[in-house]
Amino acid sequence: MGKSSVRGEGARQRAPHASDLGLEEGPRDEGGKPPSDGGKQRHRGGNGGTRAPRPRRRILRWSATILSVLILGTAGVGYLWYQHLNNNLETDELNIGEDRAPEPTPNAAGQTPLNILLIGSDARDSKENQKLGGAKETFGGTPLADVQMLLHLSADRTNMSVISMPRDTLLDIPKCTDPDDGKVYEASTQRTMTNQTLGRGGPGCTVATWEKLTNIHINHFMEVDFAGVVDMADAIGGVPVCVDANIHSRDSQGHGSGLKLEKGTTSIKGEQALQWLRTRYGFDDGSDISRAKAQHMYMNSLVRELRENAGLSSPNKLRKLAETATGALKVDEGLGSVKKLYDLSNELKKVSPERTTMTTMPYEYVGARVIPKPGDAEQLFRLVRDDIPLDGKGKKKPAQEKVSDDPAADDAEIAVRVQNGTRSDTEPPVSGRASTITGLLAGKGFAKATADSTTVLAREKTVVMFPSAELEGDAQRVAKSLGMKLSSVKKSTDVSGVTLVVGADWREGDTYPKQKQDDKTPDSADALNGSDKKACMHVNPRFTWE
């Protein structure tokens, strides 16, 4: 069985960090845009402090994660040094928040989707890392979850979707409890950068934050702090990538990864692969969004190469890769053995590149940072939640709503608190909306419905919340009486009883509006199909060469 995670003294010796190689990129501002001040200051973690300049260490740890899983499956390492490799794995709790997103209802064949959160940490926890890259003031500091990608494998295993979240996305982070020392991190009182979740008790808090935002049930996480990406890229003989002009990622102030490629397609491996995966300066507008696009492109090529490459037949190479992969992963207990990782790899390999879709969470800027784009972000989350392919292929399967096992009380006995959540980023709240809907409920027989006129919230969608299992049936009964889908009923410790929050989707009228089911992936998700061999990164003219 894999070792438990211990943050602090007594932690096991880890595999070398990818940034131990000394291949780093210059500073950036907090929103992922090119820094206007040369990266002079940076807000670190949740302690409110500002620290001196240091090189940023950004390597695409998610690609290493996928590669690790696929390599494990290819090698069949479940039968090679089984216990040794199991002991390489480090485990931690899956979710350390208070609420869980509901588990999906199985399809007609009894199958359910599989959702895995891939997390890349920027931990500075090795002397080698400090020696090669400097940044003495951040050695041993609070790690940040600077890469976050949700991998969704469909229930029937025919397609796969991936959602990347920009690291400086501002979110409401839930209350989390560190499983090692019991320290409680209270819920954020204002929107906080999502990359700070890792420092609030571990990867389980990052999982809890994703579930709170998306209402998608996450089955597993994989956290990577990874040096072996060089060896892996070398082992498969390189990964083809494309640029539409000569590129050199280096400016006069020393910012950039150092990547230097000629126009067209080049097979990259080793140091060049690392440079590609962390390059911002030189791609498009130099933002983290552009880097994510390049990462998607690399991952798609990587998967194709793994499927087609015969060079992975050498047992010695595979043993080395298996050793590196298991030493670099931290996983939840549900993936805490080589056998479980091997089984997962077999599931992932069922999906062809043609049915794999890479996306970025739709966003909009708030100053230098970003927030989920109203409408489009929820649309993308809903498609994944409802197991609808992002590539638009395949027939949509009617969603089955899960009815609570707890029977509802009589309507007249159900206490319902009604709140006004009609405020949005673009419109003010509708005055008296809570009272109007309270009257509507009273007319339907809910005699104990009361309006909360003191609270005005901002909710994109109308929702019925309940705090504990014994009130789920009551909450579903309220939703059904208003013509709402049961998917609008959510468990939340933010409420003490059945609570209806009237959202911005119901600003007027006495009848809950029918929700249009547009099952198209939003254009703002910047989808990339896994079989697209013609994709090419646009080079910023300031970073080209003759």
Side-chain angles (χ1 to χ4, degrees), residues 90-130:
E90 186 177 358
T91 63
D92 212 332
E93 289 193 23
L94 174 62
N95 188 314
I96 58 174
E98 294 186 316
D99 299 324
R100 292 301 312 270
E103 295 186 23
T105 303
N107 62 16
Q111 302 166 304
T112 55
L114 189 62
N115 296 304
I116 306 167
L117 187 63
L118 311 180
I119 306 170
S121 166
D122 79 337
R124 308 291 201 275
D125 54 2
S126 74
K127 293 181 179 179
E128 293 81 2
N129 186 40
Q130 178 219 320

Side-chain angles (χ1 to χ4, degrees), residues 245-268:
N246 295 343
I247 181 174
H248 187 199
S249 178
R250 185 74 72 199
D251 66 12
S252 59
Q253 295 179 313
H255 301 140
S257 67
L259 178 70
K260 190 172 185 179
L261 295 176
E262 295 182 354
K263 177 181 178 180
T265 299
T266 304
S267 182
I268 60 174

Side-chain angles (χ1 to χ4, degrees), residues 34-52:
S36 58
D37 61 353
K40 295 179 180 178
Q41 292 186 341
R42 177 177 183 269
H43 183 70
R44 175 73 178 180
N47 59 12
T50 301
R51 295 186 171 176

Side-chain angles (χ1 to χ4, degrees), residues 110-239:
Q111 302 166 304
T112 55
L114 189 62
N115 296 304
I116 306 167
L117 187 63
L118 311 180
I119 306 170
S121 166
D122 79 337
R124 308 291 201 275
D125 54 2
S126 74
K127 293 181 179 179
E128 293 81 2
N129 186 40
Q130 178 219 320
K131 180 179 179 180
L132 292 172
K136 295 181 180 180
E137 73 283 355
T138 63
F139 182 74
T142 303
L144 299 176
D146 275 343
V147 177
Q148 299 177 35
M149 304 182 78
L150 180 66
L151 186 154
H152 171 83
L153 187 61
S154 67
D156 60 9
R157 304 305 191 251
T158 63
N159 64 91
M160 184 165 62
S161 306
V162 178
I163 301 176
S164 296
M165 182 185 293
R167 65 190 177 200
D168 287 341
T169 301
L170 297 173
L171 298 174
D172 293 326
I173 300 179
K175 178 181 178 180
C176 295
T177 302
D178 192 313
D180 290 338
D181 58 16
K183 181 177 180 179
V184 176
Y185 296 83
E186 295 296 338
S188 59
T189 57
Q190 60 184 4
R191 290 187 299 193
T192 304
M193 287 189 295
T194 183
N195 63 356
Q196 294 185 21
T197 55
L198 195 59
R200 295 167 64 89
C205 193
T206 309
V207 171
T209 303
W210 269 81
E211 288 202 357
K212 178 180 177 63
L213 172 68
T214 66
N215 204 34
I216 296 171
H217 184 84
I218 295 176
N219 304 94
H220 302 291
F221 76 79
M222 301 176 73
E223 181 189 333
V224 186
D225 181 359
F226 210 62
V229 65
V230 172
D231 291 337
M232 290 184 177
D234 288 346
I236 62 176
V239 175

Side-chain angles (χ1 to χ4, degrees), residues 314-334:
S314 166
N316 287 333
K317 287 184 178 180
L318 290 175
R319 289 190 192 103
K320 181 180 179 181
L321 292 174
E323 181 84 26
T324 303
T326 54
L329 289 175
K330 179 188 289 185
V331 298
D332 65 280
E333 294 180 355

